[in-house]
Amino acid sequence: MPRQTRKAEDRVASLHWPSQLIIVRHGQSAGNVARDAATEAQADRIALSVRDADVPLSALGREQAQALGHWFASAAEDHRPEILLSSPYLRAFQTAQVFREAGGARSDEPICFDERLREKEFGILDGLTTSGIRNLEAAQFEFRQMLGKFYHRPPGGESWCDVILRLRSVMDTISLHYAGRRVMIFTHQVVVLCLRYIIEGLNEAEILAIDRAGDVANCAITDYVYDPSQGRDGGLVLRRYNVTAPMEEEATPVTREPDAIAGARG
């Protein structure tokens, strides 16, 4: 195929993908701290007085978000995100705010909420520790053991499949509105994993193996870049997963706690 024709096809294919997609889990939250305390005390419930959506960052979480912002601020302009998308949950939004204030993106770059990027809904299991689910919702505990986290949907909540369904439409929106742009998403642990499932075409066993290997660290970077040679139409290729270099560079403690409301993650 002539070189000029190939370049033209690459340009057309790139219209369907962002040039870079950076996915970041929010910084450590007050909920993460409360969950640790509940687990240590072997309590059934996590002591929180606000909705999951209103749980703020902890002081350490703000430091993590600031370190992330400084890390991107030190890069060339064409390596910083052009589009900032965030879960509407307070801890994710605050992470995006602190990141932008620290120079990670232009100070006038808007932070766009997308409710499809919110945390997985836990329904009647909301606020329970792992022991709490076993002690207070024994039937759901057994049902989850049988089905596995990928398919189990607690009453009033979501399975991983439900999260994946809403995230597929997020990817469609990104392709439609932000093709060829550098996009950064601020979100939650299960969402990071489910986006990997979609983008990389993984199956249940593969994504759960990644999940078992370790929690996504707070403010860790998962990064994809567009590669025109991927398949017939080009595609996104994983460049980094769960990278904590920004925190390590500033000697900021790295935390990997599951989200507080998810007593049993996802």
Side-chain angles (χ1 to χ4, degrees):
M1 179 181 293
R3 194 170 176 183
Q4 191 171 15
T5 304
R6 168 53 66 185
K7 286 183 177 179
E9 287 190 358
D10 289 348
R11 283 196 296 273
V12 172
S14 69
L15 294 176
H16 300 292
W17 301 100
S19 62
Q20 184 179 15
L21 182 63
I22 308 159
I23 309 167
V24 173
R25 184 188 173 197
H26 62 79
Q28 186 198 57
S29 72
N32 296 141
V33 176
R35 179 190 180 279
D36 286 346
T39 301
E40 187 176 343
Q42 298 183 323
D44 288 339
R45 294 188 180 277
I46 299 164
L48 288 173
S49 58
V50 296
R51 300 179 305 167
D52 190 16
D54 299 325
V55 173
L57 289 179
S58 66
L60 175 55
R62 298 187 73 87
E63 288 182 34
Q64 292 167 337
Q66 188 174 57
L68 183 68
H70 290 162
W71 198 69
F72 274 86
S74 66
E77 181 68 30
D78 61 0
H79 283 77
R80 297 178 202 169
E82 302 172 273
I83 305 296
L84 303 180
L85 304 179
S86 175
S87 159
Y89 281 28
L90 183 58
R91 55 190 180 272
F93 175 56
Q94 288 180 332
T95 302
Q97 280 185 312
V98 174
F99 169 85
R100 185 179 61 181
E101 290 166 2
R106 289 170 56 98
S107 60
D108 60 350
E109 185 62 52
I111 299 169
C112 303
F113 286 146
D114 192 318
E115 72 286 344
R116 295 170 296 180
L117 295 172
R118 72 187 185 278
E119 174 61 291
K120 174 182 177 291
E121 303 277 359
F122 292 94
I124 63 170
L125 305 183
D126 197 13
L128 299 182
T129 61
T130 301
S131 62
I133 297 172
R134 186 185 297 109
N135 296 334
L136 304 178
E137 295 289 345
Q140 287 301 315
F141 182 83
E142 292 178 11
F143 195 34
R144 184 177 181 276
Q145 291 291 103
M146 180 181 69
L147 282 180
K149 66 169 66 177
F150 194 78
Y151 289 108
H152 176 246
R153 178 191 294 132
E158 294 178 299
S159 67
W160 278 37
C161 290
D162 295 321
V163 176
I164 288 165
L165 181 61
R166 55 175 157 95
L167 292 177
R168 288 193 187 280
S169 68
V170 170
M171 291 303 299
D172 288 343
T173 298
I174 290 173
S175 296
L176 180 65
H177 294 289
Y178 306 124
R181 312 286 291 280
R182 297 183 300 277
V183 179
M184 191 168 200
I185 292 173
F186 296 86
T187 189
H188 309 268
Q189 173 159 272
V190 172
V191 175
V192 174
L193 291 165
C194 288
L195 282 170
R196 285 202 62 179
Y197 174 90
I198 294 168
I199 296 168
E200 298 171 46
L202 303 178
N203 59 35
E204 177 190 3
E206 289 169 334
I207 193 58
L208 292 182
I210 293 170
D211 177 49
R212 284 193 300 272
D215 293 315
V216 177
N218 295 109
C219 279
I221 298 166
T222 297
D223 183 18
Y224 292 88
V225 292
Y226 172 70
D227 183 346
S229 70
Q230 287 296 303
R232 185 171 54 189
D233 300 318
L236 295 176
V237 176
L238 182 67
R239 182 167 64 171
R240 296 175 288 202
Y241 172 61
N242 208 10
V243 169
T244 57
M247 281 75 75
E248 292 164 8
E249 190 169 288
E250 297 199 4
T252 301
V254 174
T255 52
R256 299 177 183 271
E257 297 95 336
D259 281 342
I261 300 305
R265 274 183 305 126

